[in-house]
Amino acid sequence: MSTCMENTDWDFVLQFVSEPLEIGVPHVPEKPVAERTNSAVPMQVPTPPDSFTASPADSPAEEDTLVSVSTTFFPGAQIHSLPPDIVLLSSDSVFFYVHTHVLHGASENGFSGLLPPTSKAPPGQLGPVVMISESSTILNIILHAVYDMACSHYSPSFESLSEALSVLTTYGLSVKRYASSSTPLHSLLLSHAPLYPLELYALAASYDLYELAVSTSSHLLSFSLASLTDEMADRIGARYLKRLFFLHFGRADALKRLLLPPPHPHAPTTDCDFTEQKRLTRAWALASAYLAWDARPDLSTSAIESALAPLGDQLSCDLCRKALRDRLKTLIVQWSVVKRTI
């Protein structure tokens, strides 16, 4: 039996605790929501009504006028059993062909009072053109939410999604309804959690989107609470801020409790009695104390294994090595099931 355990260089043992990797994710640019269409081509978009030709942004009338039309909400799009009966024009002059009754059914204020009470257009013909103050990117997100359609293929930025949520209430649309866990908008927002975890958590908290906040909170385990600014704390609010703090403190306390018990001693043998086994207990206590001192909520199971498994290299007793392996296996299983969300 080797007697060199007390002289082990613990700096060598503890060097296996590694910092979490930072993996860069490339930024995906937003894709255009409209395309230029020649109004003179049959079955294409008609020239905008004459009431708009006098606006400063319009060019002089030409025989073949080009207009920008949504690539999803265009005449002939198979998004509804009925043809569109109203046109929404975004602030950057993109036309969206939609249905009055769909917008009325979704909005509590007639889309900010912009919609007529009912469509007065004859069947198969378009009604009025309604000016919308939002850009085509924001209006595209809003309309996809209203029609319960995914717009992930447009790759909207997090800033655009955040702005779209902020104007939903302006048009009488419920944020909780259209960003709930079963909606495409919820999934699209959650896809930004790896890159914008704190911002998305604050966004979810500001609208009390609990399911979104829960799913996002697991991405905040590596976030340093000490770096939280007053402005961000105000945005998150007391209730969700408390939940985030309790998540961090709870996991840190759980890690310390799980690390405390040493490997279970085995029955004494001629080569390894209880006195010899105390060396393994002291080695475990030293290595686990190092982990517990800087207990991070995001500590990985591989980091725990890398720190504690090398202790077995200093043991000559097979029973002690087995006890260490069993204890380490139990620790990893217990840590892996500790709650990772608020």
Side-chain angles (χ1 to χ4, degrees):
M1 176 67 187
S2 174
T3 60
C4 64
M5 281 295 300
E6 292 180 343
N7 298 322
T8 301
D9 186 354
W10 290 112
D11 289 336
F12 171 78
V13 173
L14 300 177
Q15 69 178 330
F16 297 95
V17 181
S18 60
E19 295 295 330
L21 294 177
E22 296 183 0
I23 303 177
V25 180
H27 172 70
V28 180
E30 290 185 326
K31 298 180 180 178
V33 301
E35 61 182 10
R36 305 289 289 181
T37 305
N38 191 319
S39 64
V41 179
M43 302 303 293
Q44 296 296 320
V45 182
T47 304
D50 294 337
S51 59
F52 291 98
T53 57
S55 62
D58 287 333
S59 59
E62 299 178 358
E63 182 179 354
D64 294 337
T65 304
L66 292 177
V67 294
S68 296
V69 181
S70 166
T71 55
T72 297
F73 303 95
F74 59 90
Q78 301 299 317
I79 59 175
H80 198 278
S81 58
L82 298 176
D85 58 4
I86 192 171
V87 183
L88 304 184
L89 180 61
S90 65
S91 61
D92 50 351
S93 301
V94 176
F95 291 85
F96 294 78
Y97 292 74
V98 290
H99 305 81
T100 305
H101 72 279
V102 173
L103 298 184
H104 270 303
S107 175
E108 298 176 352
N109 62 3
F111 223 66
S112 191
L114 298 174
L115 299 179
T118 56
S119 176
K120 298 180 180 180
Q125 295 187 19
L126 288 171
V129 176
V130 177
M131 300 289 294
I132 304 296
S133 59
E134 268 59 54
S135 68
S136 58
T137 299
I138 305 305
L139 184 56
N140 185 59
I141 296 172
I142 294 174
L143 291 178
H144 274 80
V146 169
Y147 279 82
D148 197 27
M149 298 165 57
C151 62
S152 54
H153 52 287
Y154 291 104
S155 301
S157 66
F158 176 77
E159 292 76 13
S160 296
L161 291 171
S162 178
E163 183 179 349
L165 280 189
S166 67
V167 299
L168 281 180
T169 54
T170 302
Y171 296 102
L173 304 172
S174 170
V175 176
K176 283 195 171 184
R177 174 183 175 184
Y178 292 104
S180 63
S181 58
S182 59
T183 61
L185 183 56
H186 174 96
S187 302
L188 185 56
L189 285 166
L190 192 57
S191 69
H192 289 272
L195 288 179
Y196 303 97
L198 185 61
E199 293 81 1
L200 182 57
Y201 185 81
L203 184 67
S206 62
Y207 295 105
D208 194 22
L209 299 173
Y210 178 72
E211 293 83 1
L212 182 60
V214 169
S215 301
T216 305
S217 62
S218 62
H219 296 274
L220 287 171
L221 294 178
S222 60
F223 176 72
S224 173
L225 296 178
S227 64
L228 190 67
T229 64
D230 293 343
E231 179 185 0
M232 186 60 71
D234 290 338
R235 288 178 56 192
I236 295 175
R239 181 168 52 169
Y240 282 89
L241 189 61
K242 182 191 73 173
R243 289 170 175 168
L244 181 59
F245 270 71
F246 278 17
L247 171 63
H248 277 237
F249 294 156
R251 282 184 60 84
D253 290 341
L255 178 61
K256 293 175 182 178
R257 291 195 305 270
L258 295 176
L259 286 170
L260 186 59
H264 189 72
H266 61 78
T269 64
T270 54
D271 295 327
C272 185
D273 55 16
F274 284 126
T275 302
E276 291 293 328
Q277 293 179 54
K278 287 182 180 179
R279 299 182 179 184
L280 173 58
T281 301
R282 288 195 293 269
W284 176 275
L286 182 59
S288 61
Y290 179 84
L291 290 176
W293 177 261
D294 187 27
R296 301 194 309 268
D298 65 327
L299 186 65
S300 65
T301 55
S302 60
I304 295 176
E305 187 172 7
S306 297
L308 298 177
L311 297 178
D313 298 339
Q314 309 298 325
L315 300 174
S316 59
C317 175
D318 292 337
L319 293 177
C320 287
R321 284 198 292 265
K322 182 179 183 302
L324 176 62
R325 289 195 300 269
D326 293 343
R327 177 67 186 92
L328 185 55
K329 184 185 300 183
T330 301
L331 172 62
I332 290 175
V333 171
Q334 291 175 330
W335 178 240
S336 65
V337 299
V338 173
K339 189 178 180 183
R340 296 177 55 86
T341 60
I342 61 173

